[in-house]
Amino acid sequence: MRRREIVTGFVKARASQGINQECVEVAWTADGGRAVRDSKDRGGGTQFYGPRAWAGFIGAVKAGSFRP
């Protein structure tokens, strides 16, 4: 199994429904990380995040401490 192998389909964020259609799609990778792409430009490239990086990002968002 390769680390960057995408093992699920991409899921579009609920926030991209309706008026706010600028959002992302996320899929699981073989190592438990995530692959992320722009929902309006699917061919524009995919970013990959390992499991620890993704967990840290989600934890910061939930805690309200994420600063882009």
Side-chain angles (χ1 to χ4, degrees), residues 1-15:
M1 228 175 353
R2 293 184 350 189
R3 183 175 75 98
R4 290 190 171 186
E5 179 184 357
I6 297 171
V7 296
T8 67
F10 279 89
V11 176
K12 191 173 184 180
R14 284 183 284 238

Side-chain angles (χ1 to χ4, degrees), residues 1-3 12 16-18 33 37-38 41 44 47 49 52 55-58 60:
M1 228 175 353
R2 293 184 350 189
R3 183 175 75 98
K12 191 173 184 180
S16 64
Q17 306 299 323
R37 67 184 182 189
D38 184 334
D41 185 15
Q47 294 181 348
Y49 299 91
R52 289 183 66 190
F57 167 70
I58 295 300

Side-chain angles (χ1 to χ4, degrees), residues 3-46:
R3 183 175 75 98
R4 290 190 171 186
E5 179 184 357
I6 297 171
V7 296
T8 67
F10 279 89
V11 176
K12 191 173 184 180
R14 284 183 284 238
S16 64
Q17 306 299 323
I19 296 170
N20 291 329
Q21 295 201 11
E22 297 179 24
C23 213
V24 297
E25 296 176 321
V26 178
W28 285 71
T29 57
D31 68 347
R34 301 296 187 279
V36 180
R37 67 184 182 189
D38 184 334
S39 64
K40 292 189 320 181
D41 185 15
R42 294 179 177 151
T46 302

